[in-house]
Amino acid sequence: MKNLENIKGSRVYGRRQGKSLRSASAIRLDQYFPKYSLSLDEDGGLDYENLFNHKPKEIWLEIGFGKGEHLSAQAIANPNVGIIGCEPFLNGVSGLVDHMDRESLSNIRFYMDDARLLMDALPDGFLSRAFILFPDPWPKKRHHKRRIVSPGNLQVLSRLLKDNAELRIGTDHHDYCRWILARMMENPDFTWQDHGPDQWHKRAEDWPATRYEKKALEVGRKSTYMTFRRKPRYS
Ligand SMILES: C[S@@+](CC[C@H](N)C(=O)[O-])C[C@H]1O[C@@H](n2cnc3c(N)ncnc32)[C@H](O)[C@@H]1O
């Protein structure tokens, strides 16, 4: 799989590869990489005007899509939307490719590396929606700086999201949930859309479940589903 040798060695905390892939999955990955994976040029640039075969109505981004359950379900439900997923974990990308293959999905592009590298290559107001679902909680205090929901990353998302665009964040981790809300409240560009526990403990119908959410449910952990809106720039 020669494409995989080109992955930039950016600082992503967590696994890049787990169990070795079944040969059918490895063959599928080889087939899908040239057509559907995104790569940055040497200067970190991306030909973002021509990511999809047809110009999508909107472009959405999912950061850390795991094995791609949510991403592929959104791609099925929204065929006119182009969805970019970022996930450095090879077995996760393989899971997504299996979904794409099974459902014949062509409105997905994936970037198998640190989402922050890709986000830096995108222009202002490029995205109509973004998802960060069950991000790694990094519970130890000394690891909090690894959390993907950080003031710097929220600034980047604020730059990338169109006026009134949604940012959806889900977590089953109580402390990270409080952290996320605090970081979101500190950022003047977002408003929280949920109005009480009835809303934030209930996943919206157009918010498909993820693997991590299901795992949390199995061990009795409640999840929180937060929706934020990017405020209009000039209001
Ligand atoms: C706890 S898992 C959740 C996966 C999936 N969203 C779910 O809910 O099932 C967090 C995922 O984020 C990915 N991740 C961590 N840091 C990342 C980064 N900088 N860019 C993109 N993905 C990242 C990890 O590889 C992992 O698959």
Side-chain angles (χ1 to χ4, degrees):
M1 288 188 286
K2 56 182 178 310
N3 319 58
L4 305 182
E5 289 163 17
N6 293 330
I7 295 162
K8 284 195 185 171
S10 65
R11 194 100 174 106
V12 175
Y13 296 95
R15 292 185 304 172
R16 287 223 182 219
Q17 185 164 6
K19 282 187 224 152
S20 32
L21 299 173
R22 283 179 302 116
S23 59
S25 296
I27 290 168
R28 252 197 302 280
L29 261 184
D30 256 353
Q31 288 167 347
Y32 273 72
F33 248 85
K35 215 164 157 198
Y36 296 101
S37 82
L38 302 180
S39 51
L40 305 181
D41 63 29
E42 278 185 3
D43 302 322
L46 177 73
D47 180 15
Y48 52 77
E49 300 280 11
N50 299 303
L51 297 183
F52 296 90
N53 301 342
H54 305 289
K55 200 164 171 54
K57 188 177 72 143
E58 294 186 351
I59 298 189
W60 298 357
L61 172 74
E62 182 165 345
I63 298 173
F65 59 73
K67 293 209 165 181
E69 299 82 14
H70 172 272
L71 177 44
S72 51
Q74 290 288 15
I76 294 167
N78 301 281
N80 298 329
V81 172
I83 315 187
I84 302 172
C86 300
E87 174 55 66
F89 186 43
L90 173 63
N91 303 59
V93 173
S94 171
L96 174 70
V97 163
D98 288 346
H99 285 291
M100 290 173 71
D101 195 58
R102 216 173 300 131
E103 306 288 346
S104 305
L105 296 173
S106 59
N107 57 334
I108 291 177
R109 295 293 179 272
F110 55 84
Y111 179 62
M112 200 179 96
D113 206 333
D114 187 337
R116 292 168 296 182
L117 295 171
L118 182 99
M119 291 196 293
D120 281 347
L122 298 176
D124 297 2
F126 189 70
L127 300 174
S128 300
R129 194 171 282 190
F131 308 94
I132 309 178
L133 305 179
F134 298 81
D136 297 310
W138 296 111
K140 291 185 183 145
K141 200 162 183 183
R142 68 173 191 280
H143 290 153
H144 283 181
K145 54 182 175 300
R146 298 181 180 181
R147 288 176 165 175
I148 196 83
V149 179
S150 69
N153 292 337
L154 290 179
Q155 256 180 21
V156 177
L157 279 166
S158 150
R159 177 180 75 74
L160 293 177
L161 288 165
K162 290 185 194 305
D163 290 355
N164 295 311
E166 268 188 13
L167 168 61
R168 294 182 175 184
I169 307 181
T171 185
D172 60 324
H173 194 275
H174 188 64
D175 175 59
Y176 199 9
C177 184
R178 288 165 55 125
W179 163 284
I180 290 165
L181 287 172
R183 299 296 80 78
M184 293 303 301
M185 297 304 148
E186 282 164 13
N187 188 309
D189 298 341
F190 291 97
T191 48
W192 189 18
Q193 299 296 297
D194 307 303
H195 296 296
D198 283 354
Q199 261 186 315
W200 67 66
H201 284 313
K202 191 168 177 293
R203 187 163 38 73
E205 269 175 26
D206 64 348
W207 181 327
T210 75
R211 178 173 295 242
Y212 267 77
E213 178 200 343
K214 285 183 187 155
K215 276 189 189 173
L217 207 60
E218 276 163 25
V219 294
R221 266 201 315 273
K222 219 176 186 171
S223 294
T224 307
Y225 311 91
M226 293 163 273
T227 301
F228 304 92
R229 198 168 285 284
R230 205 297 177 197
K231 283 187 197 158
R233 278 143 175 99
Y234 306 107
S235 54

